[in-house]
């Protein structure tokens, strides 16, 4: 009695394909494949500068003219790396404080922090 | 003569197509990371850091004008701190800041977070591919 019905029925997949295509296009447009990494920042109240362990730390002060004040000396950012390496090697605790001037882009600060880390800084602090 | 061509039309078999699309969909779901939210335009800075982002973090966005974004809405620091303080356990905060934002705005945010239960703050950066890119 039901034989004729059973034979020819197939699920219509068109609606499913439409929805899955939409999802696919959405994910293709909203994802990127660059890997994100993290720089850990000190939360000031936990590791305050009043702490004695930061005494004698190297102070690096980038400005918005591509120069960096390194302790008291003004160095162009392109020549910062050797100077910073020299200071970090000579420093006993290898701690670096990055204290940017006002209106310095975060990109510059990250570049300086990167340089310090690559050249052996043990801890970094970012303050105003 | 042409009668034989008028037999009932066969529907194309969609199952292989659906399988391939599903595979692609799963690939994009797993391999990709979502971009920053549409309500703030953010380009994160590049760095040589190799630390991976792990664990559950609160995501805070900071655009180049210093506008803060959290949970699909923009707000000021005071409101954000109120929300973070309302969390009962110590939390990690993940900051997605634009590379052109004034660094002082980020430091103000860090200062404010210092008064809360936030125990770790991480700045999200994009991994630099250029091996010479230290400069």
């Amino acid at each position: 009695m039901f034989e004729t019905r059973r034979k020819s029925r197939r699920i219509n997949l068109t609606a499913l394909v439409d929805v899955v295509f939409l999802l696919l296009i959405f994910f293709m447009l909203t994802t990127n494949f660059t890997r994100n990494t993290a720089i850990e920042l000190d939360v000031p109240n936990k590791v305050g500068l009043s702490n004695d362990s930061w005494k004698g730390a190297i102070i690096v002060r980038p400005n918005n003219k591509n120069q960096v004040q390194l302790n008291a000396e003004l160095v162009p950012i392109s020549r910062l790396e050797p100077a910073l390496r020299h200071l970090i090697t000579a420093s006993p605790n290898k701690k670096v404080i990055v204290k940017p001037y006002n209106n310095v882009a975060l990109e510059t600060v990250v570049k300086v922090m990167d340089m310090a880390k690559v050249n052996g800084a043990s801890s970094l602090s970012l303050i105003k | 003569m042409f009668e034989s061509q008028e037999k009932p039309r066969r529907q194309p078999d969609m199952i292989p197509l659906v399988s391939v699309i599903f595979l692609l969909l799963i690939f994009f779901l797993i391999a990709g990371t979502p971009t920053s939210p549409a309500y703030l335009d953010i380009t994160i800075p590049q760095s040589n850091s190799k630390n991976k982002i792990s664990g559950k973090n609160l995501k805070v966005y900071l655009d180049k004008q210093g506008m803060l974004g959290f949970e699909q809405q923009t707000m000021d620091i005071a409101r954000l701190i109120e929300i973070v303080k309302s969390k009962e356990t110590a939390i990690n905060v993940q900051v997605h800041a634009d590379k052109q934002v004034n660094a002082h705005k980020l430091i103000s945010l860090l200062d404010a977070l210092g008064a809360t239960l936030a125990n770790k703050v991480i700045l999200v950066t994009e991994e630099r591919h250029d091996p010479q890119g230290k400069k």
Side-chain angles (χ1 to χ4, degrees):
Chain A
M1 169 182 180
F2 295 108
E3 266 172 25
T4 48
R5 275 190 194 171
R6 262 186 220 155
K7 226 198 275 174
S8 61
R9 278 190 107 186
R10 285 185 74 177
I11 304 165
N12 187 1
L13 290 172
T14 318
L16 176 71
V17 174
D18 283 350
V19 173
V20 177
F21 250 125
L22 265 178
L23 283 172
L24 181 65
I25 291 165
F26 170 76
F27 281 107
M28 280 174 74
L29 295 177
T30 58
T31 51
N32 61 1
F33 290 97
T34 50
R35 268 234 313 263
N36 284 355
T37 51
I39 295 179
E40 209 168 301
L41 300 173
D42 283 332
V43 180
N45 281 14
K46 311 270 158 150
V47 189
L49 289 180
S50 55
N51 192 329
D52 278 348
S53 66
W54 285 90
K55 244 180 204 168
I58 300 156
I59 299 175
V60 186
R61 301 206 66 188
N63 65 19
N64 54 7
K65 294 179 195 120
N66 276 329
Q67 291 167 322
V68 179
Q69 189 187 322
L70 195 59
N71 286 340
E73 190 188 350
L74 204 60
V75 189
I77 209 161
S78 53
R79 285 199 281 120
L80 173 67
E81 196 159 12
L84 194 58
R85 189 185 308 135
H86 178 74
L87 273 178
I88 292 174
T89 316
S91 157
N93 57 12
K94 307 204 186 309
K95 290 189 172 180
V96 176
I97 295 170
V98 181
K99 191 178 176 186
Y101 283 97
N102 200 6
N103 290 325
V104 176
L106 179 66
E107 195 179 20
T108 313
V109 174
V110 169
K111 204 188 279 182
V112 169
M113 288 171 83
D114 246 3
M115 254 181 224
K117 203 83 193 161
V118 165
N119 289 295
S122 63
S123 334
L124 283 168
S125 181
L126 184 60
I127 58 165
K128 226 187 248 184
Chain B
M1 179 182 173
F2 295 108
E3 268 173 25
S4 61
Q5 286 183 359
E6 284 182 16
K7 61 186 172 189
R9 274 166 61 197
R10 285 180 66 200
Q11 280 206 331
D13 188 4
M14 302 275 258
I15 294 167
L17 174 71
V18 175
S19 309
V20 172
I21 296 172
F22 258 117
L23 265 178
L24 282 172
L25 182 65
I26 292 163
F27 169 73
F28 278 104
L29 266 169
I30 293 172
T33 48
T35 47
S36 41
Y39 64 97
L40 286 178
D41 182 22
I42 290 170
T43 316
I44 56 174
Q46 289 193 326
S47 84
N48 295 320
S49 170
K50 296 275 182 265
N51 298 342
K52 284 190 183 145
I53 299 164
S54 57
K56 214 176 169 205
N57 303 309
L58 285 187
K59 286 182 189 163
V60 177
Y61 297 90
L62 183 66
D63 80 350
K64 63 177 141 189
Q65 272 87 38
M67 183 87 83
L68 272 173
F70 180 68
E71 287 179 346
Q72 304 298 317
Q73 47 184 313
T74 53
M75 59 182 67
D76 58 2
I77 287 191
R79 175 88 190 102
L80 175 76
I81 296 306
E82 223 171 85
I83 295 171
V84 175
K85 272 187 174 164
S86 69
K87 309 273 171 192
E88 282 162 8
T89 49
I91 33 128
N92 295 339
V93 180
Q94 183 178 320
V95 184
H96 294 244
D98 191 276
K99 62 182 183 181
Q100 283 170 11
V101 72
N102 182 350
H104 278 204
K105 301 244 182 210
L106 177 71
I107 300 170
S108 304
L109 176 64
L110 284 180
D111 285 343
L113 284 170
T116 67
L117 280 173
N119 61 347
K120 200 166 101 179
V121 180
I122 57 174
L123 177 68
V124 180
T125 57
E126 188 181 304
E127 191 180 28
R128 201 191 300 270
H129 296 290
D130 176 16
Q132 301 289 308
K134 284 188 288 183
K135 290 189 179 158

